[in-house]
Amino acid sequence: MPQPEAPSLPVRIARWSVFESRHAGPSAGNPFVDVDFRAVFRHGNRRIPVTGFYDGEGVYVLRFMPDATGEWSYETSSDARELDGLCGSFVCVDAEKGVHGPVRLGKKFHFAYEDGTIYRPFGTTAYAWTSQEAELEEKTLATLAASPFNKMRMCVFPKHYDYNANEPPLYAFEPLSDASAPAVWTASDGAGNKLSGTAAFRWDFSRLNPAFFRHLEKRVAELGELGIEADLILFHPYDRWGFSDMGREADERYLGYLVARLAAYRNVWWSMANEYDLMPWKSMNDWDNLFRFLQSRDPHDHLRSIHNCRPFYDHGKPWITHCSVQHNDVSLATDWRKLYGKPVVIDECRYEGNLPRRWGNITGQEMTNRFWEGFARGTYVGHGETFLSPDDVIWWAKGGSLRGESVARIVFLRKILEEGPPAGLDTASLGSNAHAVSGVDGNYFLVFYGMAQPAYQTLSLPEGSFEVDIIDVWNMTVTPAPGLYSGECRIELPGTVLMALRITRRG
Amino acid sequence: MPQPEAPSLPVRIARWSVFESRHAGPSAGNPFVDVDFRAVFRHGNRRIPVTGFYDGEGVYVLRFMPDATGEWSYETSSDARELDGLCGSFVCVDAEKGVHGPVRLGKKFHFAYEDGTIYRPFGTTAYAWTSQEAELEEKTLATLAASPFNKMRMCVFPKHYDYNANEPPLYAFEPLSDASAPAVWTASDGAGNKLSGTAAFRWDFSRLNPAFFRHLEKRVAELGELGIEADLILFHPYDRWGFSDMGREADERYLGYLVARLAAYRNVWWSMANEYDLMPWKSMNDWDNLFRFLQSRDPHDHLRSIHNCRPFYDHGKPWITHCSVQHNDVSLATDWRKLYGKPVVIDECRYEGNLPRRWGNITGQEMTNRFWEGFARGTYVGHGETFLSPDDVIWWAKGGSLRGESVARIVFLRKILEEGPPAGLDTASLGSNAHAVSGVDGNYFLVFYGMAQPAYQTLSLPEGSFEVDIIDVWNMTVTPAPGLYSGECRIELPGTVLMALRITRRG
């Protein structure tokens, strides 16, 4: 006969925070494979299926991010008797101050938090920042806290590449029990120097390493506290460990585990791959299947994208929420918006730095130019920094600190946009010149002239009267043009590069 | 009974200079249409048909450029009795000092004078410089004399466009006799200001104006004396007079007349059109027919090209000697070389200046960048300058003086090339990075890093030993890298933009 439960205060979870419940279960055999553990969460008539995960030491965990206030309950099911039919409940209360929910698609071509607040991605890239020593990771977080960035592109797996020869402290899988003698790897650091080392690269892909994921989710949560979206790259080709080529079964087991652990973090985005096209051993069908699997498993429907090196994935496919693009010519973003009908984020337009490779040696001025070019087209551009360093700590891969000249200009750009209407920018035209122009409802326009140095410009403004500010995007000054402007008009400009106009209706 | 001719010294003409003979003929009716006047020039067994032209006042003229020393003779034929069967001869002597003949196709992808001396086009553009007042035209010539330029893109007809509202002093045709009341035209100066004026734009296209052509050929000859090729643009769309749309018969009459007058000038190139695609009233078949006509008339087989605004003409067609291209992305020139198998001249890659239009407001730095990018790919880039001026005298259209920052750098580039082997540059590869690289026979290389700022580069040099000079193309310095280089090697660079390497075999 069941005992009456002692009355207790209900658990209170803030909206869009992580609810977690932990349950004892079997630890024999291989719990990652042998035990099925899931639950259904309920709120009113809503029923949301959620997959649990094994956290090691006989502990099974459910995580969930409630998106509505009020009472929630859940009930588990499992093929392990002690995990089956467990019930629980909690009360979801208002979101914490400053929490707006996960980022969703907003009005066409743009993003918004779930509460409707506009979200403009100002992203940066540090692919392997969570595969470094603690001190460096903490430094990266401190750098981000003082930066304009609100999105971080980051890989789940470690990175093997020029300037990235180090082993990570933790791995996502357990080594195969017969892999006691680590394999030897050799590689090049891109400067013509041969590197070699040892790596236990024969893994038991059926045994995940909870410590690895605990570390990853700690970093994701810390980004969340800084208001930074974690654009998590699930697969990438820069790999000496074999994580990019595990086979479909292991890929899905890994993805399912990752989703079960991380989907409850509101700041997670799923980037299926970095440079998917450099992994020819995965077919287009494989990528499609992985997206279908991911979409079916994620109870919180996070944003989904996939990043190219050269050919684009078909961003028109239904599971793609937005275009995550690598391309050198940011001005094409207008066409991609039209083509795919989705927000465009040029996450990689080359990096500010001084590496020998073309993708990693543009100037701060050029990075600034590309940011403005993309944003003034109503699209989004991502940052990265690649200055050589004697210790090989380069922001784009390992994080650390920033030394480029574009960051201050990105702060300024973000401020300019935040001073404007709280809406995404539509493409617009103010006359015949093919510069980057966008606006909001005919009341606000942003025009950018890039590396051109016109001495004046003629504009065709709508009816009414407008204030025009001349923005020097490099020197970060805003100078009002005298008087008000209307219809066909001429604006005198300083005849120097990197000029923008902000045009605001006043009548 | 014919009288014996008095013995006289034979006429002596330097090789590749203009031989001219003038003959009295009918002046009644319309001699431009009514009288057929031609000749055959002979040298040994060679027979070269040449068309004469009517120069007004009852004078008919033959012009010819002898390309071989020794005795030449000619005999005329005409449907006018007094012009038929006239004979003459002259002796062609060695070319004047510094004269190398007309420019021909040289080794693949390159140009050479007829005597084999390499010719590298360093072109500029002043479309309507011969349609200005004498003082301005003289100033243009003086500017050119002190410039690095050895090719001038120039229209036969005057230009109607922003900043180009003036009437030319001379017209190519006589006005129609009933056109006593000049027509009124209106246009915009591109700054939103309405312009208007009067122009006798109803022409008798069957009556050419010898004074107009005399003026044009004087300027062409003056360019020749400066060692400058006249890249003559035969048709263009910027027209309020109707010269761009005369119909096939008038087009051919004009072209035939122009060829009869000008083909004997060794420095003439034929550019069928500027921005042919902006004249949709001429079909592709029309352009092809004009080329066939031009080719059949020109006894001296001058270079032939046609310039686009957006879509390229098919430069693979047999009458096209080289690609004359407008494009913003100079790095594509490597592909065009391969595609068409002909020399590539990017005559318009945008202009240095401060106009409101994108094609006319790049910086001197960017023009310099584009010149090096094109030349270091074994192709050629053209210059133009578009700085606003209160009197609307802008180099790109009217000539005058130059004030940009790229000209000095083009002087420097020309010097660098002239210090290298007297041969055209082939595309080359010195390793994995996709920068502009070209070379000669594995003994000489030019590498350009554009707006990248690498701190070092790795190169894969051929066997042997090489000297490496680091060239700052903006500051115009040449700094030898210490020691000699061979095979896989690393070059330290200053980590700033606009750097080139000159690599010369020393062993």
Side-chain angles (χ1 to χ4, degrees), chain B residues 152-191:
Chain B
M152 174 63 110
R153 284 175 75 224
M154 52 188 281
C155 298
V156 174
F157 293 125
K159 184 178 176 83
H160 171 70
Y161 197 69
D162 301 351
Y163 320 107
N164 286 269
N166 54 322
E167 287 296 320
L170 292 164
Y171 297 95
F173 304 97
E174 299 292 343
L176 272 176
S177 49
D178 66 352
S180 53
V184 175
W185 57 265
T186 58
S188 156
D189 70 352

Side-chain angles (χ1 to χ4, degrees), chain A residues 451-454 497, chain B residues 328 349-355 357-370 384 386-387:
Chain A
M451 294 305 289
Q453 51 176 9
V497 299
Chain B
N328 182 45
C349 67
R350 299 190 175 173
Y351 301 127
E352 180 182 356
N354 63 1
L355 295 194
R357 305 290 197 91
R358 278 173 89 85
W359 52 258
N361 58 25
I362 67 171
T363 61
Q365 202 180 52
E366 183 55 27
M367 179 61 90
T368 303
N369 180 37
R370 290 170 187 215
T386 46
F387 284 100

Side-chain angles (χ1 to χ4, degrees), chain A residues 163 190-192 353-358 361-364 387-388 432-436 451-458 490 497, chain B residues 163 190-192 353-358 361-364 387-388 432-435 451-458 490 497:
Chain A
Y163 319 108
N354 63 1
L355 295 195
R357 305 290 197 91
R358 278 174 88 84
N361 58 25
I362 67 171
T363 61
F387 284 99
L388 276 181
S432 59
N433 280 333
H435 290 110
M451 294 305 289
Q453 51 176 9
Y456 71 90
Q457 280 289 325
T458 54
R490 172 174 166 144
V497 299
Chain B
Y163 320 107
N354 63 1
L355 295 194
R357 305 290 197 91
R358 278 173 89 85
N361 58 25
I362 67 171
T363 61
F387 284 100
L388 275 183
S432 61
N433 280 332
H435 290 109
M451 295 305 290
Q453 51 176 11
Y456 71 90
Q457 281 287 326
T458 54
R490 172 174 167 144
V497 298

